[in-house]
Amino acid sequence: MMDEGTELSVTIAQIVQRLKGAHLHSQLEKQARECLHRPEIKLESLKEDVRNFLRVSGWERKLQNAVYRELHILPPPGHPAAPPEHTKEPLAYMRKAQASWEKRILKSLNSMCTELGVPLARKRPIPEQKELTNKWNEMGTDEPDLSKFRPVYAPKDFLEVLISLKNPNHDCREGLTARSHWGLIQISLNVRAIPQMREAYPELSLTCCQLGIDDHAHIPPDLFESEHIRIGNKVVSEQDSAAAQQYSRQGCPTGLRAQLWALILNATNEPEDIMHYEQLKAAVIHHDLLVDNLIYKDVKLTASNDDYYFVFEDFLYQVLLCFSRDTAVLEHFSYNSATPPKSYIQGKTGTEEFAVVYPPNGVVPFHGFSMYVAPLCFLYNEPSKLYSVFREMYVRYFFRLHSISSSPSGIVSLCLQFERLLQSHLPQLFYHLQKIGAQPLRIAFKWMVRAFSGYLSTDQLLLLWDRVLGYDSLEIVAVLAAAVFAFRAENLMEVTSLASAEAVLADLSTLKVMPLLQIFLFA
Amino acid sequence: MTGNPVDCTVKSTVALQIGDVVSDSFRPGVYITDVVFGEPVNIQEISFKNSYTAFLTVRVLRKEAGSEDGSTKWVTCVRNHCLMANPHTEEGSQDYFSIYRQQMLTQPDNVTTVRLIQRQPSSVWLNFNIEEIKIYPLVHEDSERDVPSWLSTITPVEEPLDLNGLPDPDEVSSSIQQMWALTEIMQSSQTSASIGRFDVDGSYDINLLSYT
């Protein structure tokens, strides 16, 4: 590969290009211009003084945070000869599988459209626009007839696709060998085993204090909690993204979590963010999309039925409807193996000037999608801030849970890692479950696709997502799934059918996440 | 990445195995691909697309300097360059790679044939190969180019001429020029700030989604 110096230059150039048109760039220029009036800026040492001023006033830190954010989402520098689809997903057979899965989704949407006679998109007449504007804060009181709509797909449909995923170059002729897959996933991806996880996640070790374990009621707060909160306050006052991420590995205190997550994700609530959100709201008012009905249905079926989240129903509509209209989300498709669905307006099929993306953000929601947003409602009560944080979490992590890719945080890797961890840690349990027709992945998949949202109690879920943000990876979700099986292993060894295995693992709301993870990885 | 690839003939791949290629059920673990040039070339870069090869050894047939009758010698340029970190797993299996002159053990000058020895020790894969082989010749840089000031702060400008283990100035300058060219391309293209409109001239009437 190219030597490190060249790679660094390419990365720098890419980040500079991305930040050039951003609001931060114009703000920095404005600040630099205005500071020229200040007495401490001398002509002889102009450059140094301006840079000093920017550092002292906190603007350099904002730039650092912005660069850090870009580094997170920037795909690794590829080879110049590699085509763009290679950046999205290097393995050809996975690209093909993703494309045919997407085609199925499109067909399903199209047939829903023609069967129900509902257009994919239409402009709302003015009276309807007025009505929606008035009802914006209480869309949950609406009871539209959603019986005809059905979700485009559910996680179990997606699981079947992943199970059937095969590498045509993979030798599966022979019977059971050392290299065979006795789980459902038949792909040989590089997943980390326990020794490597221990090295990668040292902050979770038994000797390291953390929230979720060492803030328990009977442990005096002076041992860890007070000091941890003090450091947390310092991190927030410094406004340092990278420090917040490192801090989050040991858990975020409840009072600081909202600010820390926003810092890690560099999700700001500046006037331009609020304006962007208002623009999206206007777009929702102007156009009615078929996808909106899917969102309504999903919220009604999942979040509204959940004891913890039903109060946030209105927030969920406000976030998800706007999310569908946000074209800024399209950027993430350069590193997502998925491709946004395309259509042509006014029936002008084939004419590129009339090509549009549908929905505008390119993401078709599936059954359970609203659960990605629901836990965040506990942290943020301003819709525009909630929206910024959710959008950033989606384009960094959640999109990997419902697209076929070889990424280490992708759902295929998570499934394989779950199976491998269980196979090496509890081979007897795995073999027993496999024999009775209760493949563990069939039960754990729905947890992992939602990153456990809706299955754990909220405070535990937020502790889990602290680590997802802290380690910038969804791997911990797969480890938790294996840890849950390990915890209930005794009961599971007694069951004799898939249904009874499901029953043993039906209720996870009493589980404490951090002790489970710690024991599984380090004990 | 400099210049155009050299015209070359890529010979068909030969498997190295004991016994008959056709009748034996054993799959070979080593393949050899030869790339022949019309005339001797000074190689700058070899780029290719991997297809499940784990390790690559590159040997070149060099025309000996100063010999009139064209005596040639095989030398190893790269030994067991790792393409797949774990030969049993997919990482790196379909990636694009480049091997540069600077990484080679011996100078690939006056080369008539390049021999690519591909190894895949894992029995997990049915086939392995390397594809899209392109070989770039050494291009002589004779024009002076201005280096932007921020770039010069990354690489040190002052270098003592006494090379005590320091890199050759010519090599450094050629790699700086490569970096500069890349950054120029990036900076001259437009900003990526999006406007946010999803409709075309106010219209977003869509009937059906397109499958192509």
Side-chain angles (χ1 to χ4, degrees):
Chain A
M1 297 291 271
M2 291 191 276
D3 60 278
E4 279 181 29
T6 324
E7 271 190 28
L8 180 63
S9 293
V10 171
T11 308
I12 292 174
Q14 278 178 314
I15 296 180
V16 164
Q17 192 209 6
R18 282 187 60 81
L19 290 178
K20 238 183 178 170
H23 189 79
L24 183 64
H25 184 206
S26 50
Q27 278 178 314
L28 281 169
E29 280 186 346
K30 186 162 165 253
Q31 287 293 317
R33 265 201 309 275
E34 284 175 5
C35 83
L36 293 176
H37 300 304
R38 300 175 73 94
E40 64 262 25
I41 311 290
K42 308 258 186 304
L43 194 57
E44 310 85 66
S45 52
L46 184 66
K47 192 162 144 193
E48 294 307 313
D49 290 344
V50 171
R51 285 176 78 167
N52 238 341
F53 167 75
L54 287 176
R55 182 174 46 245
V56 160
S57 55
W59 281 99
E60 190 185 67
R61 181 53 51 78
K62 288 198 193 171
L63 178 62
Q64 269 179 347
N65 289 346
V67 170
Y68 196 58
R69 187 259 173 189
E70 294 299 322
L71 283 173
H72 268 118
I73 60 164
L74 210 61
H79 194 269
E85 65 251 19
H86 193 265
T87 314
K88 285 160 72 83
E89 171 51 54
L91 303 180
Y93 68 93
M94 285 214 180
R95 290 199 294 266
K96 211 160 142 205
Q98 173 68 21
S100 63
W101 168 240
E102 280 171 8
K103 201 161 166 183
R104 267 174 68 179
I105 298 177
L106 296 191
K107 282 201 170 133
S108 177
L109 264 179
N110 273 346
S111 63
M112 198 188 303
C113 192
T114 37
E115 271 170 44
L116 301 179
V118 178
L120 284 173
R122 70 177 175 103
K123 206 164 162 71
R124 280 190 229 266
I126 304 286
E128 195 184 322
Q129 288 187 23
K130 281 213 174 82
E131 201 194 325
L132 187 56
T133 317
N134 292 335
K135 259 199 346 205
W136 181 254
N137 287 322
E138 26 168 73
M139 282 186 273
T141 55
D142 223 3
E143 294 285 340
D145 180 17
L146 298 169
S147 54
K148 301 175 294 178
F149 293 100
R150 49 182 198 282
V152 181
Y153 65 95
K156 62 175 164 31
D157 306 316
F158 190 49
L159 176 60
E160 293 305 322
V161 174
L162 296 185
I163 293 172
S164 64
L165 195 57
K166 273 197 189 8
N167 180 348
N169 197 28
H170 194 267
D171 182 11
C172 37
R173 285 180 302 183
E174 303 156 53
L176 209 66
T177 67
R179 286 282 127 213
S180 285
H181 298 264
W182 21 312
L184 293 174
I185 302 292
Q186 301 293 313
I187 310 289
S188 292
L189 289 171
N190 210 9
V191 292
R192 289 203 262 223
I194 292 189
Q196 293 145 323
M197 291 296 291
R198 286 188 188 163
E199 274 179 50
Y201 291 75
E203 290 86 354
L204 298 183
S205 80
L206 292 164
T207 50
C208 201
C209 284
Q210 49 202 295
L211 294 182
I213 299 175
D214 299 286
D215 54 338
H216 203 265
H218 65 250
I219 299 178
D222 300 332
L223 268 175
F224 166 70
E225 206 182 341
S226 314
E227 180 63 17
H228 193 62
I229 294 178
R230 190 187 70 80
I231 299 178
N233 277 317
K234 190 145 185 265
V235 169
V236 170
S237 67
E238 289 287 312
Q239 285 288 295
D240 188 337
S241 228
Q245 181 166 338
Q246 180 65 31
Y247 177 80
S248 183
R249 292 180 180 192
Q250 288 173 284
C252 296
T254 318
L256 295 173
R257 182 176 276 128
Q259 295 171 62
L260 285 165
W261 281 23
L263 199 49
I264 297 172
L265 299 167
N266 205 34
T268 50
N269 205 27
E270 304 281 316
E272 77 264 12
D273 301 301
I274 300 177
M275 199 168 71
H276 180 68
Y277 179 74
E278 292 297 322
Q279 264 181 330
L280 296 175
K281 184 175 155 186
V284 175
I285 310 264
H286 280 129
H287 285 99
D288 178 28
L289 304 180
L290 174 67
V291 167
D292 292 348
N293 294 308
L294 298 177
I295 292 172
Y296 275 118
K297 182 124 190 172
D298 183 45
V299 173
K300 292 274 185 222
L301 284 179
T302 54
S304 300
N305 279 334
D306 191 305
D307 291 336
Y308 294 110
Y309 302 122
F310 72 92
V311 291
F312 300 122
E313 193 181 338
D314 298 322
F315 272 142
L316 294 175
Y317 295 128
Q318 290 175 9
V319 166
L320 287 167
L321 293 178
C322 289
F323 181 63
S324 292
R325 271 74 169 173
D326 197 349
T327 50
V329 175
L330 293 176
E331 279 179 4
H332 91 286
F333 284 106
S334 65
Y335 52 87
N336 183 356
S337 60
T339 311
K342 202 163 86 161
S343 184
Y344 298 91
I345 55 162
Q346 295 161 4
K348 298 223 172 31
T349 322
T351 331
E352 280 317 304
E353 303 92 69
F354 295 95
V356 287
V357 168
Y358 182 86
N361 72 344
V363 179
V364 177
F366 54 91
H367 179 69
F369 193 86
S370 55
M371 296 308 282
Y372 289 142
V373 190
L376 300 173
C377 297
F378 274 102
L379 300 175
Y380 306 98
N381 52 19
E382 246 189 76
S384 59
K385 188 75 189 263
L386 173 62
Y387 180 76
S388 288
V389 171
F390 165 65
R391 185 181 70 181
E392 188 64 20
M393 284 206 70
Y394 182 82
V395 300
R396 278 204 209 182
Y397 308 111
F398 296 146
F399 75 91
R400 297 202 191 274
L401 295 172
H402 62 93
S403 54
I404 304 174
S405 86
S406 58
S407 158
S409 261
I411 189 69
V412 184
S413 290
L414 295 185
C415 290
L416 184 63
Q417 190 171 24
F418 161 73
E419 290 189 322
R420 287 276 164 83
L421 285 173
L422 210 54
Q423 285 162 3
S424 46
H425 202 69
L426 295 156
Q428 234 183 344
L429 174 64
F430 199 101
Y431 186 69
H432 169 74
L433 290 173
Q434 190 199 26
K435 223 161 45 117
I436 62 170
Q439 276 275 4
L441 185 59
R442 285 201 189 278
I443 304 171
F445 187 72
K446 55 187 182 295
W447 305 335
M448 294 195 285
V449 158
R450 285 202 204 160
F452 281 92
S453 174
Y455 295 103
L456 295 173
S457 69
T458 320
D459 58 319
Q460 295 301 312
L461 180 75
L462 293 174
L463 286 168
L464 177 70
W465 285 14
D466 280 341
R467 273 68 179 192
V468 169
L469 285 170
Y471 290 99
D472 192 33
S473 163
L474 288 161
E475 261 181 314
I476 202 83
V477 168
V479 179
L480 180 62
V484 170
F485 270 74
F487 184 60
R488 302 245 168 112
E490 271 183 44
N491 291 2
L492 286 169
M493 285 303 287
E494 312 269 307
V495 301
T496 51
S497 70
L498 174 60
S500 25
E502 299 251 20
V504 168
L505 294 164
D507 184 11
L508 306 183
S509 56
T510 51
L511 292 183
K512 296 273 175 277
V513 157
M514 297 319 299
L516 281 183
L517 284 171
Q518 212 177 48
I519 293 173
F520 189 79
L521 285 178
F522 292 95
Chain B
M1 231 194 72
T2 43
N4 297 316
V6 173
D7 284 330
C8 51
T9 322
V10 178
K11 294 247 166 98
S12 55
T13 313
V14 173
L16 279 194
Q17 64 181 107
I18 305 166
D20 197 345
V21 175
V22 175
S23 60
D24 264 355
S25 57
F26 270 111
R27 285 201 301 274
V30 187
Y31 280 113
I32 312 257
T33 307
D34 278 353
V35 181
V36 182
F37 303 116
E39 5 169 277
V41 173
N42 296 347
I43 297 178
Q44 167 64 26
E45 176 189 342
I46 303 174
S47 80
F48 55 90
K49 179 176 186 299
N50 189 15
S51 175
Y52 295 93
T53 304
F55 301 102
L56 183 69
T57 300
V58 179
R59 303 195 85 207
V60 296
L61 185 61
R62 233 173 23 180
K63 252 193 160 69
E64 286 306 296
S67 63
E68 286 299 315
D69 58 346
S71 72
T72 54
K73 188 164 175 250
W74 281 104
V75 286
T76 306
C77 282
V78 175
R79 180 169 284 128
N80 281 340
H81 184 66
C82 183
L83 302 177
M84 287 168 64
N86 180 342
H88 298 301
T89 66
E90 297 268 9
E91 204 182 323
S93 60
Q94 296 190 24
D95 282 349
Y96 289 81
F97 291 91
S98 271
I99 300 181
Y100 293 92
R101 184 190 179 88
Q102 293 88 327
Q103 293 168 273
M104 298 189 186
L105 296 168
T106 53
Q107 297 283 29
D109 290 326
N110 284 324
V111 171
T112 52
T113 309
V114 175
R115 176 163 286 170
L116 301 160
I117 303 169
Q118 305 135 41
R119 285 179 46 231
Q120 176 50 275
S122 171
S123 59
V124 171
W125 314 111
L126 292 173
N127 285 309
F128 64 96
N129 205 354
I130 59 175
E131 299 160 359
E132 295 177 36
I133 303 169
K134 292 197 174 71
I135 305 197
Y136 294 90
L138 188 62
V139 177
H140 290 287
E141 305 289 352
D142 42 13
S143 55
E144 286 274 326
R145 284 211 202 110
D146 249 23
V147 177
S149 59
W150 70 264
L151 188 52
S152 64
T153 59
I154 295 175
T155 46
V157 175
E158 292 91 43
E159 270 171 45
L161 285 174
D162 178 24
L163 296 173
N164 266 338
L166 285 170
D168 183 320
D170 289 313
E171 281 187 32
V172 172
S173 66
S174 77
S175 60
I176 288 178
Q177 277 158 4
Q178 283 180 26
M179 288 193 267
W180 174 81
L182 283 169
T183 54
E184 272 301 284
I185 294 167
M186 290 296 192
Q187 285 178 353
S188 60
S189 51
Q190 291 179 333
T191 75
S192 53
S194 59
I195 303 171
R197 301 270 303 275
F198 56 81
D199 51 348
V200 176
D201 293 334
S203 167
Y204 196 61
D205 297 317
I206 309 173
N207 291 332
L208 287 176
L209 296 171
S210 162
Y211 294 132
T212 46

